[in-house]
Amino acid sequence: MHLRNRTAQRMERSENGQQTPSATAPIGIFDSGYGGLTILHAIRQLLPEYDYLYLGDNARAPYGPRSFDVVYEFTRQAVEALFRQGCQLVILGCNTASAKALRTIQQVDLPRWDAQRRVLGVIRPTAEVIGTLTTSRHVGILATEGTIRSQSYNLEICKLHPDIVVSGVACPLWVPIVENNVCDTPGADYFVKRDIDRLFSLDPLIDAVILGCTHYPLLMPAICRHLPPHVRPVPQGRYVAESLSSYLIRHSDLSARCSRGGTVRYLTTENIQSFREHAQLFLNQEVSVESITL
């Protein structure tokens, strides 16, 4: 069944005869794993009135080392699953998915599925705001291997701020450090310092560093310890949330189709207990989670 028909089935008639969204039209947040929980947390802090549905493809994580084609296919499956759950808007809370799959989904898949729905990423909001956060006009990126290789941040920043010089370094061990809950160990400190030093060896003029992976805010104490004092770390959550708020104001028709009950549900493709334990690490609270197959 076409997604547009599914949408129609979930619409209810109000007393004046106009269609209104059903009670189950949450904003979807997708990530290959757990890092998108930091994006969800920031969005809920700013926009608590909406319903949210988080989907973590934990069974197939990490996405970072995978090819463009594989990341696109996995992300497409996840977006379709969230649409089937009633989402009118999906945020790719994963930098790798935003870098490798977002454009194809927006340009190729959405027109076939339902042109009224939207899929947004986490790279552009940070790229838009970075021009206000740097004085030297030299910016660093710390991210996964896949995001660095995609050059997505470089391209977006160059389009929006052609005067900014961008340098990036892949940090392949940072995600395992976070997910194994060893952020406060000497080993974690060593690798954070090593990768930051590598970045500044490329460009010592950097004065703002984008944390281009949603796991990295959990390493913020170590990151701040090893960044030069004048350098600003730029986690994504706040800027993605502010960008989404502005987007919903500008697209009031889409906002009206998103339900407002202040609820959140969690879906995972992996072990439920494992998700609960990791979610508590990221959110500092217990959550109820359901299993899903993509």
Side-chain angles (χ1 to χ4, degrees):
M1 183 185 297
H2 195 279
L3 279 168
R4 187 182 295 276
N5 294 333
R6 293 194 189 102
T7 303
Q9 288 181 350
R10 278 191 293 267
M11 302 295 280
E12 300 171 343
R13 294 283 179 179
S14 63
E15 291 182 0
N16 63 9
Q18 294 182 339
Q19 288 186 324
T20 57
S22 71
T24 54
I27 294 173
I29 312 288
F30 168 68
D31 189 14
S32 59
Y34 303 103
L37 293 169
T38 63
I39 299 296
L40 171 64
H41 177 70
I43 291 174
R44 290 188 71 203
Q45 283 191 311
L46 188 61
L47 301 167
E49 67 273 22
Y50 289 94
D51 294 313
Y52 297 94
L53 179 59
Y54 183 90
L55 169 56
D57 188 13
N58 310 90
R60 301 187 294 195
Y63 279 16
R66 297 185 182 272
S67 70
F68 272 77
D69 289 344
V70 170
V71 171
Y72 160 67
E73 180 60 23
F74 287 177
T75 305
R76 184 190 63 77
Q77 292 170 4
V79 172
E80 279 196 289
L82 288 167
F83 280 176
R84 287 195 296 270
Q85 293 279 337
C87 297
Q88 301 295 303
L89 168 65
V90 171
I91 310 297
L92 302 186
C94 171
N95 282 272
T96 303
S98 296
K100 295 184 176 182
L102 177 62
R103 182 164 298 182
T104 304
I105 288 174
Q106 288 176 331
Q107 295 180 352
V108 176
D109 296 309
L110 273 179
R112 295 189 295 108
W113 290 339
D114 186 340
Q116 293 187 353
R117 303 203 194 198
R118 292 292 181 268
V119 180
L120 305 175
V122 293
I123 291 175
R124 187 172 180 87
T126 317
E128 287 176 340
V129 77
I130 196 63
T132 67
L133 304 178
T134 173
T135 301
S136 70
R137 314 309 281 176
H138 289 250
V139 169
I141 313 290
L142 296 169
T144 65
E145 180 184 349
T147 298
I148 293 298
R149 280 195 285 109
S150 75
Q151 295 283 297
S152 294
Y153 274 102
N154 307 59
L155 294 171
E156 286 292 334
I157 292 172
C158 182
K159 283 191 295 186
L160 297 166
H161 314 285
D163 63 316
I164 291 180
V165 177
V166 181
S167 302
V169 164
C171 310
L173 293 178
W174 289 24
V175 168
I177 286 170
V178 171
E179 295 199 351
N180 286 286
N181 195 19
V182 290
C183 296
D184 298 324
T185 64
D189 200 68
Y190 168 82
F191 287 113
V192 169
K193 181 179 187 306
R194 183 197 68 175
D195 293 334
I196 288 176
D197 288 348
R198 288 170 53 218
L199 179 63
F200 280 86
S201 71
L202 295 177
D203 186 353
L205 297 180
I206 290 169
D207 69 350
V209 175
I210 295 173
L211 306 184
C213 173
T214 51
H215 282 68
Y216 293 0
L218 274 72
L219 284 164
M220 190 64 80
I223 292 169
C224 291
R225 197 156 51 241
H226 296 297
L227 281 178
H230 69 283
V231 175
R232 179 174 189 161
V234 183
Q236 297 171 286
R238 169 189 169 185
Y239 304 109
V240 172
E242 290 174 352
S243 178
L244 176 60
S245 176
S246 175
Y247 186 88
L248 290 171
I249 291 171
R250 297 195 311 272
H251 298 82
S252 57
D253 56 332
L254 176 63
S255 174
R257 298 200 306 273
C258 297
S259 56
R260 291 171 171 80
T263 66
V264 58
R265 290 173 56 212
Y266 299 90
L267 304 176
T268 180
T269 59
E270 185 53 284
N271 179 271
I272 288 176
Q273 182 57 34
S274 177
F275 187 94
R276 285 197 191 105
E277 293 171 359
H278 282 88
Q280 188 164 19
L281 172 66
F282 279 81
L283 299 173
N284 198 29
Q285 67 179 60
E286 293 186 1
V287 302
S288 177
V289 60
E290 307 162 45
S291 179
I292 188 173
T293 300
L294 298 180

PDB file of all heavy atoms in Angstrom, residues 260-276:
ATOM      1  N   ARG A 260       0.589  16.109  19.415  1.00  0.00           N
ATOM      2  CA  ARG A 260       1.131  16.759  20.604  1.00  0.00           C
ATOM      3  C   ARG A 260       0.550  16.103  21.847  1.00  0.00           C
ATOM      4  O   ARG A 260      -0.533  16.453  22.291  1.00  0.00           O
ATOM      5  CB  ARG A 260       0.789  18.256  20.597  1.00  0.00           C
ATOM      6  CG  ARG A 260       1.509  19.060  19.528  1.00  0.00           C
ATOM      7  CD  ARG A 260       0.919  20.468  19.468  1.00  0.00           C
ATOM      8  NE  ARG A 260       1.680  21.364  18.636  1.00  0.00           N
ATOM      9  CZ  ARG A 260       1.614  21.407  17.308  1.00  0.00           C
ATOM     10  NH1 ARG A 260       0.811  20.569  16.660  1.00  0.00           N
ATOM     11  NH2 ARG A 260       2.339  22.274  16.623  1.00  0.00           N
ATOM     12  N   GLY A 261       1.302  15.182  22.393  1.00  0.00           N
ATOM     13  CA  GLY A 261       0.892  14.542  23.640  1.00  0.00           C
ATOM     14  C   GLY A 261       2.020  14.471  24.646  1.00  0.00           C
ATOM     15  O   GLY A 261       1.850  13.970  25.754  1.00  0.00           O
ATOM     16  N   GLY A 262       3.209  14.974  24.236  1.00  0.00           N
ATOM     17  CA  GLY A 262       4.353  14.961  25.120  1.00  0.00           C
ATOM     18  C   GLY A 262       4.904  13.572  25.412  1.00  0.00           C
ATOM     19  O   GLY A 262       5.596  13.376  26.415  1.00  0.00           O
ATOM     20  N   THR A 263       4.612  12.613  24.533  1.00  0.00           N
ATOM     21  CA  THR A 263       5.036  11.240  24.775  1.00  0.00           C
ATOM     22  C   THR A 263       6.293  10.906  23.966  1.00  0.00           C
ATOM     23  O   THR A 263       6.637  11.592  23.015  1.00  0.00           O
ATOM     24  CB  THR A 263       3.930  10.236  24.389  1.00  0.00           C
ATOM     25  OG1 THR A 263       3.733  10.285  22.955  1.00  0.00           O
ATOM     26  CG2 THR A 263       2.627  10.578  25.080  1.00  0.00           C
ATOM     27  N   VAL A 264       6.947   9.823  24.349  1.00  0.00           N
ATOM     28  CA  VAL A 264       8.083   9.318  23.578  1.00  0.00           C
ATOM     29  C   VAL A 264       8.076   7.795  23.666  1.00  0.00           C
ATOM     30  O   VAL A 264       7.842   7.225  24.733  1.00  0.00           O
ATOM     31  CB  VAL A 264       9.426   9.903  24.070  1.00  0.00           C
ATOM     32  CG1 VAL A 264       9.673   9.591  25.537  1.00  0.00           C
ATOM     33  CG2 VAL A 264      10.581   9.411  23.220  1.00  0.00           C
ATOM     34  N   ARG A 265       8.295   7.159  22.524  1.00  0.00           N
ATOM     35  CA  ARG A 265       8.442   5.705  22.439  1.00  0.00           C
ATOM     36  C   ARG A 265       9.817   5.391  21.868  1.00  0.00           C
ATOM     37  O   ARG A 265      10.370   6.175  21.094  1.00  0.00           O
ATOM     38  CB  ARG A 265       7.368   5.090  21.528  1.00  0.00           C
ATOM     39  CG  ARG A 265       5.959   5.119  22.084  1.00  0.00           C
ATOM     40  CD  ARG A 265       4.977   4.636  21.012  1.00  0.00           C
ATOM     41  NE  ARG A 265       5.313   3.312  20.521  1.00  0.00           N
ATOM     42  CZ  ARG A 265       5.077   2.886  19.256  1.00  0.00           C
ATOM     43  NH1 ARG A 265       4.530   3.706  18.371  1.00  0.00           N
ATOM     44  NH2 ARG A 265       5.409   1.665  18.899  1.00  0.00           N
ATOM     45  N   TYR A 266      10.324   4.214  22.215  1.00  0.00           N
ATOM     46  CA  TYR A 266      11.644   3.798  21.767  1.00  0.00           C
ATOM     47  C   TYR A 266      11.544   2.436  21.083  1.00  0.00           C
ATOM     48  O   TYR A 266      10.923   1.508  21.612  1.00  0.00           O
ATOM     49  CB  TYR A 266      12.612   3.704  22.951  1.00  0.00           C
ATOM     50  CG  TYR A 266      12.810   5.001  23.680  1.00  0.00           C
ATOM     51  CD1 TYR A 266      11.986   5.340  24.762  1.00  0.00           C
ATOM     52  CD2 TYR A 266      13.795   5.900  23.296  1.00  0.00           C
ATOM     53  CE1 TYR A 266      12.154   6.538  25.435  1.00  0.00           C
ATOM     54  CE2 TYR A 266      13.973   7.103  23.968  1.00  0.00           C
ATOM     55  CZ  TYR A 266      13.154   7.418  25.033  1.00  0.00           C
ATOM     56  OH  TYR A 266      13.322   8.604  25.695  1.00  0.00           O
ATOM     57  N   LEU A 267      12.159   2.324  19.912  1.00  0.00           N
ATOM     58  CA  LEU A 267      12.221   1.080  19.163  1.00  0.00           C
ATOM     59  C   LEU A 267      13.679   0.731  18.924  1.00  0.00           C
ATOM     60  O   LEU A 267      14.507   1.608  18.677  1.00  0.00           O
ATOM     61  CB  LEU A 267      11.508   1.216  17.810  1.00  0.00           C
ATOM     62  CG  LEU A 267      10.051   1.674  17.801  1.00  0.00           C
ATOM     63  CD1 LEU A 267       9.573   1.843  16.356  1.00  0.00           C
ATOM     64  CD2 LEU A 267       9.163   0.683  18.539  1.00  0.00           C
ATOM     65  N   THR A 268      14.001  -0.559  18.947  1.00  0.00           N
ATOM     66  CA  THR A 268      15.359  -1.012  18.642  1.00  0.00           C
ATOM     67  C   THR A 268      15.319  -2.282  17.819  1.00  0.00           C
ATOM     68  O   THR A 268      14.392  -3.092  17.965  1.00  0.00           O
ATOM     69  CB  THR A 268      16.175  -1.262  19.927  1.00  0.00           C
ATOM     70  OG1 THR A 268      17.492  -1.711  19.555  1.00  0.00           O
ATOM     71  CG2 THR A 268      15.532  -2.318  20.811  1.00  0.00           C
ATOM     72  N   THR A 269      16.312  -2.453  16.960  1.00  0.00           N
ATOM     73  CA  THR A 269      16.432  -3.688  16.190  1.00  0.00           C
ATOM     74  C   THR A 269      17.288  -4.713  16.924  1.00  0.00           C
ATOM     75  O   THR A 269      17.497  -5.813  16.420  1.00  0.00           O
ATOM     76  CB  THR A 269      17.068  -3.408  14.813  1.00  0.00           C
ATOM     77  OG1 THR A 269      18.372  -2.816  15.002  1.00  0.00           O
ATOM     78  CG2 THR A 269      16.197  -2.466  13.996  1.00  0.00           C
ATOM     79  N   GLU A 270      17.781  -4.363  18.102  1.00  0.00           N
ATOM     80  CA  GLU A 270      18.687  -5.226  18.850  1.00  0.00           C
ATOM     81  C   GLU A 270      18.047  -5.658  20.164  1.00  0.00           C
ATOM     82  O   GLU A 270      16.843  -5.462  20.379  1.00  0.00           O
ATOM     83  CB  GLU A 270      20.016  -4.474  19.073  1.00  0.00           C
ATOM     84  CG  GLU A 270      21.161  -5.240  19.731  1.00  0.00           C
ATOM     85  CD  GLU A 270      21.508  -6.553  19.057  1.00  0.00           C
ATOM     86  OE1 GLU A 270      20.736  -7.512  19.252  1.00  0.00           O
ATOM     87  OE2 GLU A 270      22.539  -6.625  18.366  1.00  0.00           O
ATOM     88  N   ASN A 271      18.837  -6.188  21.054  1.00  0.00           N
ATOM     89  CA  ASN A 271      18.382  -6.664  22.349  1.00  0.00           C
ATOM     90  C   ASN A 271      17.764  -5.541  23.179  1.00  0.00           C
ATOM     91  O   ASN A 271      18.369  -4.480  23.353  1.00  0.00           O
ATOM     92  CB  ASN A 271      19.570  -7.281  23.100  1.00  0.00           C
ATOM     93  CG  ASN A 271      19.193  -7.783  24.467  1.00  0.00           C
ATOM     94  OD1 ASN A 271      19.245  -7.044  25.432  1.00  0.00           O
ATOM     95  ND2 ASN A 271      18.801  -9.050  24.547  1.00  0.00           N
ATOM     96  N   ILE A 272      16.567  -5.769  23.681  1.00  0.00           N
ATOM     97  CA  ILE A 272      15.839  -4.741  24.414  1.00  0.00           C
ATOM     98  C   ILE A 272      16.564  -4.344  25.689  1.00  0.00           C
ATOM     99  O   ILE A 272      16.679  -3.153  26.016  1.00  0.00           O
ATOM    100  CB  ILE A 272      14.405  -5.219  24.721  1.00  0.00           C
ATOM    101  CG1 ILE A 272      13.574  -5.238  23.424  1.00  0.00           C
ATOM    102  CG2 ILE A 272      13.742  -4.331  25.763  1.00  0.00           C
ATOM    103  CD1 ILE A 272      12.178  -5.782  23.609  1.00  0.00           C
ATOM    104  N   GLN A 273      17.072  -5.323  26.440  1.00  0.00           N
ATOM    105  CA  GLN A 273      17.747  -5.013  27.697  1.00  0.00           C
ATOM    106  C   GLN A 273      19.006  -4.191  27.455  1.00  0.00           C
ATOM    107  O   GLN A 273      19.314  -3.253  28.197  1.00  0.00           O
ATOM    108  CB  GLN A 273      18.097  -6.301  28.450  1.00  0.00           C
ATOM    109  CG  GLN A 273      18.751  -6.075  29.799  1.00  0.00           C
ATOM    110  CD  GLN A 273      17.914  -5.223  30.743  1.00  0.00           C
ATOM    111  OE1 GLN A 273      16.676  -5.300  30.726  1.00  0.00           O
ATOM    112  NE2 GLN A 273      18.554  -4.400  31.545  1.00  0.00           N
ATOM    113  N   SER A 274      19.736  -4.527  26.390  1.00  0.00           N
ATOM    114  CA  SER A 274      20.933  -3.758  26.057  1.00  0.00           C
ATOM    115  C   SER A 274      20.569  -2.311  25.742  1.00  0.00           C
ATOM    116  O   SER A 274      21.273  -1.377  26.162  1.00  0.00           O
ATOM    117  CB  SER A 274      21.658  -4.393  24.869  1.00  0.00           C
ATOM    118  OG  SER A 274      22.777  -3.623  24.489  1.00  0.00           O
ATOM    119  N   PHE A 275      19.478  -2.116  25.009  1.00  0.00           N
ATOM    120  CA  PHE A 275      19.052  -0.749  24.690  1.00  0.00           C
ATOM    121  C   PHE A 275      18.700   0.003  25.964  1.00  0.00           C
ATOM    122  O   PHE A 275      19.072   1.173  26.120  1.00  0.00           O
ATOM    123  CB  PHE A 275      17.855  -0.763  23.739  1.00  0.00           C
ATOM    124  CG  PHE A 275      17.469   0.606  23.242  1.00  0.00           C
ATOM    125  CD1 PHE A 275      17.959   1.085  22.039  1.00  0.00           C
ATOM    126  CD2 PHE A 275      16.633   1.424  23.994  1.00  0.00           C
ATOM    127  CE1 PHE A 275      17.611   2.361  21.590  1.00  0.00           C
ATOM    128  CE2 PHE A 275      16.284   2.691  23.556  1.00  0.00           C
ATOM    129  CZ  PHE A 275      16.778   3.156  22.349  1.00  0.00           C
ATOM    130  N   ARG A 276      17.978  -0.645  26.866  1.00  0.00           N
ATOM    131  CA  ARG A 276      17.610   0.022  28.123  1.00  0.00           C
ATOM    132  C   ARG A 276      18.855   0.504  28.871  1.00  0.00           C
ATOM    133  O   ARG A 276      18.895   1.624  29.382  1.00  0.00           O
ATOM    134  CB  ARG A 276      16.823  -0.947  29.017  1.00  0.00           C
ATOM    135  CG  ARG A 276      15.385  -1.204  28.594  1.00  0.00           C
ATOM    136  CD  ARG A 276      14.616  -1.817  29.739  1.00  0.00           C
ATOM    137  NE  ARG A 276      13.315  -2.309  29.314  1.00  0.00           N
ATOM    138  CZ  ARG A 276      13.008  -3.593  29.146  1.00  0.00           C
ATOM    139  NH1 ARG A 276      13.937  -4.523  29.389  1.00  0.00           N
ATOM    140  NH2 ARG A 276      11.812  -3.965  28.762  1.00  0.00           N
TER     141      ARG A 276
END
